[in-house]
Amino acid sequence: PPPGPGWKCKRVVESGEIHRWHWISPTRNIEFRRWAPAGEFEKLRHELGDEMRAWEEYRKRKAGSDTCVVSPSKYDVDPIETNSPTTPVVNDGDSNHTEEILTARKPPPGPGWKHKFVVEVAGGQRQCYWISPVRNIEFRRRPQACEFEKLRLKFGNEVQAWEEYRKIKVGLSTCVVSASKFDMGGVEEKSTTEAVATPNGTSTTAPGPGWKYKLVSNADDSQNRGHWMSPTRNIEFRRREAAWEFEVLRQTFGNEGQAWLEYGKVQANREAVVLPGHYDDDDHPVEER
């Protein structure tokens, strides 16, 4: 019997003269070489409600193993979606009318995302790339950009979201242009910021120019923790990755006042700062106003 309602089958010759049945999914015509993986995918279709999400989950589960699908990578390209509540992107003026219609039917992954059109192969069709709001991570496909947007909302910043995204995509394509440059190690290796000497005699790399480092005793476990102080307003961050995320905003907006307004919108971000309400107070002047 077929894996589920709507599935089609076709007879295929494999390995010379061996005849086998391939199973084709109802909506996206994903062609499975074996019945068992098709049945596994059918369960995901039933659980998640559509083949796009089912395929993304199936891909995660099959990381590093055979998907038993003919040309699986072609199903990583997202279908045109028309039912997203997110406001559609206004297309660039240099794009033709066909591209404007295409982009209008594909809303951005979330607020603040930008897009651009790229010809991936000479003479080929132009693809819409999606660029994240803070770190300008450039995704070649929208499903992966949407997956990253979910992580942004979960973690509250793009640094931790990217680290988690990298873990999820081990053995799979990230669908990101020059992905390694967004890794923390890659950023540190290319940074022109000098190493900062810590009070315990070691050294560490500052999030950016002008940052200060101090050692703080933790009453819970009697361990010392390194805090980072921003250059202008001395905003005290408990973790370097949070300070680094704020530094990205400093560079994006050009000042700490606007950077803090953006950073402080997310509760998870505020929890990474000592006395975050202190920096919301108008008594502490924003240097750029």
Side-chain angles (χ1 to χ4, degrees):
W7 283 76
K8 302 180 286 290
C9 66
K10 72 176 183 180
R11 200 176 186 190
V12 177
V13 177
E14 293 183 356
S15 303
E17 298 182 355
I18 299 176
H19 290 263
R20 292 189 182 277
W21 292 102
H22 282 197
W23 297 95
I24 302 170
S25 68
T27 306
R28 302 187 69 203
N29 295 318
I30 301 174
E31 186 174 340
F32 288 82
R33 297 192 303 270
R34 300 292 182 268
W35 188 93
E40 183 179 353
F41 181 73
E42 174 62 17
K43 290 179 181 178
L44 292 173
R45 288 182 69 243
H46 183 72
E47 291 174 6
L48 300 175
D50 65 71
E51 288 197 16
M52 191 65 224
R53 287 187 289 177
W55 177 251
E56 291 177 355
E57 180 62 27
Y58 183 80
R59 274 293 227 176
K60 293 176 187 177
R61 295 186 181 186
K62 297 296 181 181
S65 61
D66 186 7
T67 61
C68 284
V69 169
V70 177
S71 303
S73 61
K74 74 179 183 179
Y75 304 108
D76 296 335
V77 180
D78 60 320
I80 294 175
E81 299 179 28
T82 59
N83 57 354
S84 174
T86 310
T87 305
V89 170
V90 177
N91 204 18
D92 300 328
D94 61 351
S95 301
N96 62 35
H97 183 60
T98 301
E99 289 167 341
E100 290 178 0
I101 293 173
L102 178 63
T103 305
R105 293 178 66 190
K106 288 187 178 181
W113 283 75
K114 303 176 286 291
H115 77 281
K116 70 178 184 180
F117 289 100
V118 176
V119 177
E120 294 182 323
V121 181
Q125 184 179 359
R126 292 173 69 165
Q127 291 283 351
C128 183
Y129 282 20
W130 295 96
I131 303 167
S132 69
V134 178
R135 300 185 70 196
N136 293 319
I137 301 174
E138 192 171 320
F139 288 83
R140 296 192 295 268
R141 298 294 182 268
R142 187 175 177 278
Q144 286 73 22
C146 291
E147 186 176 354
F148 182 71
E149 174 65 14
K150 291 177 183 178
L151 293 173
R152 288 183 70 244
L153 294 175
K154 177 181 178 180
F155 290 102
N157 65 75
E158 289 194 14
V159 173
Q160 289 175 284
W162 176 252
E163 291 176 354
E164 181 65 20
Y165 182 78
R166 274 297 224 176
K167 293 176 186 176
I168 293 172
K169 295 298 180 181
V170 170
L172 299 174
S173 171
T174 61
C175 282
V176 169
V177 177
S178 302
S180 61
K181 76 178 184 180
F182 301 106
D183 297 337
M184 291 294 288
V187 170
E188 290 176 359
E189 289 168 7
K190 298 173 186 177
S191 174
T192 58
T193 305
E194 295 182 356
V196 174
T198 65
N200 60 8
T202 62
S203 64
T204 185
T205 307
W211 284 77
K212 299 175 288 293
Y213 180 90
K214 76 173 185 179
L215 210 56
V216 178
S217 177
N218 190 324
D220 294 334
D221 56 12
S222 302
Q223 295 292 318
N224 291 330
R225 298 284 189 270
H227 285 195
W228 290 96
M229 315 283 289
S230 68
T232 307
R233 302 187 71 198
N234 291 319
I235 301 174
E236 186 173 343
F237 290 83
R238 295 188 175 92
R239 300 188 308 275
R240 186 191 177 281
E241 61 269 22
W244 194 92
E245 177 75 8
F246 183 73
E247 173 64 15
V248 173
L249 291 173
R250 287 182 71 243
Q251 295 177 15
T252 301
F253 291 104
N255 62 73
E256 288 193 19
Q258 288 176 283
W260 175 254
L261 290 176
E262 180 66 23
Y263 185 86
K265 291 178 181 178
V266 180
Q267 182 59 33
N269 289 349
R270 299 177 69 87
E271 291 172 358
V273 173
V274 177
L275 300 175
H278 180 74
Y279 307 105
D280 299 329
D281 192 342
D282 290 337
D283 290 339
H284 294 272
V286 178
E287 71 278 4
E288 303 78 17
R289 288 179 182 172

